[in-house]
Amino acid sequence: ETVEAVIMPVVSRNTIKRGNKKVVKLGDKEIVLKDSFRLFMQTKLSNPHYPPEIQAETTVINFTVTEDGLEDQLLFLVVKLERPDLAKKKSELIQQQNEFKVTLAQLEALLLEKLANAEGDILDDTELILSLEEAKKTSDEVKEKVVYAQETEAKINETSEFYRPTGSRGSLLFFLMCDLCKMHTFYKYSLDSFVMVVTRAVNSVTLRKPKEPKQEKVEEEKPEGEDEDGEDGEDGGEEKEEEPQEEEEEEEEIIELEGKELKQRVVVLENVITYFVFSYTRRGLLDADKLTVVSMMLFKILLRAGKVSHEENTILIRAPPDPNPPPIPDMAKSWLTETQWAQMKSLESVDAFKKSGKLLESLEQDALGWKRWFTEEKAEIADLPRSVRDLTPYHRLFLLRILRPDRIGGALTQFITDNLGTDYIEQPPFDMEQSYQESTCITPFFFVLFPGVDPTPVIEALGRKLSITEANGRLINISMGQGQEKVALDALTKSAREGGWIMLQNIHLMQAWLKQLERALEVIEEFSHDEFRCFLTSEPPGAMQGKLWDLIPEPILQRCIKVADEAPADLRSNLRRAYSKFSQESVDACLKAKEFKATLFALCFFHSLISGRIKFGAQGWSKKYPFNDGDLTICGEVLKNYLNNAEHLGTDVPWPDLRYIFGEIMYGGHITDFWDRRVNNTYLAVLITPELLAGANLCAGFKSPDAAKFEYSHYVKYIEERFPPEIPQMFWLHPNAEIGFLTNQGISTFKTISEVSGGGGGGGGGDISAAQPIITSYQGQLPANLDMIEIRGRLKEEDYTPFVIVSLQESDRMNLLLSMMRNSMTELELGISGALNVTDNMESLANDLQTNKVNALWAEKAYPSLKLLSSWFADLMLRVDQLVEWTKLLALLKSVWLSGLFNSMSFLTSNMQVAARSNNLPLDFMVNRCRFYNIREVSEVVGLPAQGVNVHGLFMEGAGWEDGKGEDEGYITESKMKDLHPQMPICNIYAVHIDEMDWNCMYHCPVFSTSLRGATFIFQANVRMDPDDFENRWTLAGAAMLTQDD
């Protein structure tokens, strides 16, 4: 996106006058610039962003193919493959018409020349008159032929038009593929590779057949030809030359279809092109993106076919809440959120829901029927309430999208199966041989690397079949690193010339060198041997860089066949793969074989648990840690060495030492979050114990086998035969964790579709004026700023207590946020009216308002939150109300809504300050202690607490809460099904000296602002447990408190 400085004088036309010549300075040379000089620059980037100086000095031409243009190109391609006779005839007609035009032009020029050169009376010039007659005759003949050619061309075009749906479908699919780069940086494709896939698809169902009878006649006539050869060598030679030409012309029999048969044929072609293109794309997709991509594709196909409307599809994808919904009825408040109620109100604009009457009225009148469906385990197949029982599967998705997002994945899967078939859901295992057949010497393979997956054995196995191995020098495997740059380029050139294979592994480590690789791949295209193949491997971008970080240059990705063959992520597969890293030889190398076998199996199970726990999101791990097979194998070596050492010294197994090395050094080396480290160490505390030798339970329903009776092969068999079906309880998590995981997955699917396709599946909308009604609604509700001058004017010097200072700080921050929101919406209104130029920030705000998303600039001034804009705004109003009440009173409230503060920790610190001052204790040794009442309504709180502060607005995640009896405090307990974030009772937080803090029967419970956890940590609360309970259970369950219910 930049131009070399050396040619900038040419681009900017920075010329110097030398006499009557213009010269331009290139480097240290002055070169004469001729008037006829033109400079053309071309980029390979699909969506470049050039700086203003380049745009001002050059004429930028967007030469990207359009959807209509590509449709015509693909139509011609399909017709050429299906009906080569028509394509050939049309090509001949075009050539013929061009010749006619040339002939007419020549005649005209000849006549004009003769007329110009004629002398005397032209009526006496017989030659000229004859020429005119000849020209008129020729012109008439040409015009007749032109008319006939036009009629023929019209017939050909009419027949070709029957195949237009295939071109339309192909064009739709290509532009969908182009949009996928918004999902992941590796999803980049070229038009050339796409055309090859379409060609392969059409050829796979071709109706063209060789003309067998003609071949038989040629074979019968061979002896005669031989006789003639003997008699007349020249004649025989001519016949030999003509026969192959006839064979080429009559090589295939064209089957002409008409009417119903032709329509059926076009449907077959549409389907086969769709499947081939999707299979080509799916092979390079990450598992997490496959359902999203096929859903996008199906929605676009249905839109193009007119089976669904653009407006309906936009509502399905965005699920916008109504700006002014009626109040939610009391009977629905227990199971329906305000946002869901507002979203259901928006569905009343969809025709399918108008037929069944008003949706919200139905929800009120048939509340029991709706709640019954809402609580169904598999809501996607359960009977809907009576008023909406006749909904189509497509419109059923609307209800699941809003009310049961955890089941939208299963519903989408079934919807795709019903409309496209099971082949789009069930992916066959990766077949290297089939992929090789699709490749050429100029299309490298690009393998995405995942933990536990190595493409090298697969490539080597195929190479052995084709006699291409490292032993015979035809396969070169280079692991990229410092100093390997020239070696790799030389080997690439050599393999390309000689027809060998080359593997360049881990190219993501060589960022600076990749431009050289890109150029080398272009150069070798000119001389590559047909058998040459290039294999590249790279890891995807890490969590720190993000999915869209440009790790590999776009031209390399476009030319490659991408393969993302992820290993299965289920617990059994993880355990199988982990245990396969060892062997019977590993067992035999340890002197304490029994202890080694039992502990190694538990270690592999531990590795499987922490790898599989990632899928449960922040409740599993707050970050995605790169645990890998190297951690496991090194731990296996450490285990062997420690056990051998213990055997030599005659001591017992050093269990605490092993747990420390595994948890704090090997695996713990990846972990940066304190609470994640606690989970990791707790797993080791319950798994790596002496009880392993006595057949302890590794998890629910899976025991550690008797190591004295089991050898390596027995353990392998035990995994295959005795491993139970995977459930969240095997991770020590509640089944609700899976509901949360599925809910996030469903929401993420539609969020990604909205970001990639612009919401409606048919391209993004740039109409910012559509945001005007939303702006008006929000501006009408937005409260005025708090009058800080008036508030501070009421305070005396002695009134500035820690709690009052917190209220003033919170009010200042709220004013900044309110001003930012008010000003940005006013600017956007002026932009919509044309009074101001529309900026990027205005466009972003308009889009966010329409997609119910909190604007980035607002979020920057606000507090951590995962809420959608409508619920975020309602939450903001409640926060303002609390600050108004607090600053009006200028004293501690009887219960503070802890969630409603920008900085909750500052309020808790002020609580410790007050206690430290009143008791004359050092602040550094003060801690907050929690005691939960048995009430949840603020109205039930009578006055200020005797000590500390009362807070409300806490929610539990990963566990439930059992209220106490009478004055007894409640305790943490098992979650109720589908109650992901139960509300906690009002809590009295008071500060004590650290020595007085009692953790007996208490769970060290982290408190976070949002369910993302991690950096949103606030403080550690003491949560009472049942006397018979143990803390490890809640640590592994991911139990934590949140200040917001997302």
Side-chain angles (χ1 to χ4, degrees), residues 85-153:
D85 56 324
L86 291 182
K88 184 180 177 184
K89 194 179 287 184
K90 186 169 183 177
S91 178
E92 289 172 353
L93 284 172
I94 291 170
Q95 187 177 352
Q96 198 178 52
Q97 286 185 4
N98 289 337
E99 289 174 358
F100 291 160
K101 288 176 184 176
V102 171
T103 303
L104 289 172
Q106 287 175 346
L107 284 172
E108 187 180 342
L110 182 65
L111 289 173
L112 289 171
E113 183 186 352
K114 287 194 174 185
L115 286 169
N117 297 331
E119 295 177 359
D121 189 355
I122 57 171
L123 295 176
D124 296 334
D125 193 339
T126 309
E127 186 181 349
L128 177 59
I129 291 170
L130 289 173
S131 297
L132 285 169
E133 288 180 355
E134 182 66 28
K136 186 176 184 305
K137 183 181 176 183
T138 306
S139 175
D140 291 341
E141 287 177 2
V142 167
K143 284 178 180 176
E144 285 178 14
K145 288 179 180 178
V146 166
V147 171
Y148 175 74
Q150 288 174 343
E151 290 173 357
T152 308
E153 187 179 6

Side-chain angles (χ1 to χ4, degrees), residues 658-665 667-669 677 680-681 684:
L658 290 172
R659 286 194 292 265
Y660 182 84
I661 291 171
F662 298 162
E664 295 290 348
I665 300 173
Y667 286 94
R677 187 181 294 271
N680 186 63
N681 290 336
L684 289 165

Side-chain angles (χ1 to χ4, degrees), residues 87 197 205 286 375 381 448 504 558 602 616 637 648 766 796 936:
V197 174
V205 290
L286 305 182
T375 55
I381 58 173
V448 185
L504 302 178
Q558 285 185 337
F616 294 103
E637 284 296 311
H648 288 310
K796 298 175 184 175
R936 286 176 171 78

